[in-house]
């Protein structure tokens, strides 16, 4: 009798373990599928928006900014970093959370959007403007900011473009930083609206990589402007990868 009970317990235990493994396997499969869906959706949204990417000179026959504004009136700029997949419209919501999980079309999306800090003005006349994007693999959203953590890539890839409805800027990347998510020198852009010297000094003291010549050029500019790009770091949940770029008015 005792042997029969023991055998039954063994069978029940085997069944229980098998059920647990099935459940975990199903959950793992669902998680993988769900993750792939997030990345696929982000890629689809970017591909659609690239069809209406505005050109620096609308007279060239490319898309105009009006086509983007027809999709979402919160769009205020377009950011491109050369030799990366960072090629996105920039939106600004009412607060920092407005576009965390909302795409440019206004739909719920875990990938969110690339968005401008609410403390900045949408015409990008501030001395320091800050934009955010989720850190994602497969070159999605701001995932490619990781590339600048490689010294060779940082030194060889310093250019980009910021396109606005009425003008454009060449971007000259000059600093790569790894900072805490609460670092006020980076994440309180309003403090640098009249004088960015403190921001430049912070970059010089804390950057992983730096281009001193671009900082020198900023100090010589009559109206220096810096664009910051921030994303979560893969090294620590409280860390952020930040790229700083000099904004130079585009002229044909």
């Amino acid at each position: 009798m005792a042997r029969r009970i023991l055998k039954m317990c063994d069978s029940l235990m085997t069944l229980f373990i098998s059920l647990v493994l099935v459940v975990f396997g199903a959950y793992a499969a669902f998680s993988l599928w769900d993750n792939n869906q997030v990345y696929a959706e982000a890629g689809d949204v970017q591909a659609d928006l690239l069809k209406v990417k505005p050109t620096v000179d609308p007279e060239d026959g490319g898309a105009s900014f009006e086509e983007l504004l027809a999709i979402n009136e919160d769009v205020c700029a377009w950011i491109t970093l050369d030799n990366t997949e960072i090629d996105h419209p920039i939106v600004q919501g009412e607060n920092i959370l407005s576009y965390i999980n909302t795409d440019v079309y206004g739909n719920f999306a875990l990938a969110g959007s690339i968005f401008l800090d609410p403390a900045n003005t949408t015409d990008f006349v501030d001395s320091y403007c800050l934009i955010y994007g989720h850190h994602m693999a497969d070159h999605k959203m701001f995932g490619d900011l990781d590339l600048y953590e490689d010294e060779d890539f940082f030194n060889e890839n310093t250019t980009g473009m910021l396109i606005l409805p009425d003008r454009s800027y060449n971007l000259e990347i000059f600093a790569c930083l790894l900072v805490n998510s609460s670092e006020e020198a980076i994440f309180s852009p309003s403090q640098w609206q009249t004088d960015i010297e403190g921001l430049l000094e912070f970059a010089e003291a804390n950057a992983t990589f730096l281009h001193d010549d671009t900082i020198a050029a900023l100090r010589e500019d009559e109206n220096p402007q810096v664009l910051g790009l921030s994303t979560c770091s893969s090294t620590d949940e409280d860390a952020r990868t930040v790229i700083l770029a000099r904004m130079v008015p585009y002229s044909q």
Side-chain angles (χ1 to χ4, degrees):
M1 183 67 177
R3 182 175 297 177
R4 184 182 301 174
I5 293 174
L6 183 60
K7 185 175 182 181
M8 184 180 298
C9 289
D10 288 343
S11 298
L12 289 173
M13 181 59 72
T14 300
L15 178 61
F16 174 75
I17 293 173
S18 298
L19 287 173
V20 169
L21 291 175
V22 169
V23 170
F24 274 108
Y27 178 76
F30 173 78
S31 297
L32 180 61
W33 174 85
D34 188 53
N35 187 64
N36 288 337
Q37 286 294 106
V38 171
Y39 281 85
E41 289 173 2
D44 291 343
V45 168
Q46 184 181 18
D48 286 341
L49 290 170
L50 281 170
K51 297 174 184 177
V52 291
K53 175 182 177 180
T55 55
V56 174
D57 183 2
E59 294 183 1
D60 292 340
S64 67
F65 226 94
E66 282 68 26
E67 294 176 70
L68 268 178
L69 291 173
I71 294 173
N72 187 338
E73 62 182 11
D74 286 343
V75 175
C76 55
W78 189 289
I79 177 77
T80 302
L81 297 187
D82 296 332
N83 298 319
T84 76
E85 296 300 316
I86 294 175
D87 203 7
H88 301 279
I90 302 171
V91 293
Q92 186 186 60
E94 293 182 0
N95 57 64
I96 201 76
L97 299 177
S98 298
Y99 282 98
I100 285 286
N101 294 131
T102 301
D103 66 23
V104 176
Y105 294 104
N107 301 318
F108 173 78
L110 289 175
S113 299
I114 305 303
F115 62 94
L116 178 67
D117 193 294
N120 289 124
T121 59
T122 57
D123 54 7
F124 286 81
V125 297
D126 296 331
S127 296
Y128 173 48
C129 300
L130 179 62
I131 58 177
Y132 305 85
H134 282 304
H135 180 275
M136 299 181 69
D138 296 332
H139 309 286
K140 300 298 188 294
M141 305 312 287
F142 266 5
D144 272 0
L145 289 187
D146 278 359
L147 296 173
Y148 294 94
E149 295 176 357
D150 177 83
E151 187 172 10
D152 288 338
F153 186 90
F154 175 82
N155 288 329
E156 296 169 7
N157 297 276
T158 61
T159 57
M161 179 70 69
L162 182 72
I163 303 174
L164 308 182
D166 61 345
R167 65 193 187 283
S168 298
Y169 292 89
N170 288 313
L171 300 178
E172 298 177 357
I173 295 167
F174 67 87
C176 175
L177 304 97
L178 187 66
V179 300
N180 189 276
S181 59
S182 61
E183 178 52 66
E184 291 190 3
I186 295 297
F187 299 111
S188 297
S190 58
Q191 68 181 305
W192 307 122
Q193 294 321 307
T194 58
D195 184 3
I196 62 168
E197 180 58 31
L199 176 64
L200 299 182
E201 290 177 356
F202 179 85
E204 288 176 315
N206 295 278
T208 304
F209 304 119
L210 194 74
H211 290 303
D212 294 317
D213 54 342
T214 306
I215 287 188
L218 277 164
R219 287 186 168 126
E220 293 176 359
D221 285 348
E222 183 176 347
N223 296 299
Q225 286 186 277
V226 172
L227 181 68
L229 298 83
S230 172
T231 192
C232 293
S233 172
S234 56
T235 61
D236 188 295
E237 64 178 14
D238 289 327
R240 298 292 183 268
T241 297
V242 176
I243 300 301
L244 299 179
R246 177 190 180 202
M247 297 168 58
V248 180
Y250 172 82
S251 59
Q252 294 179 311

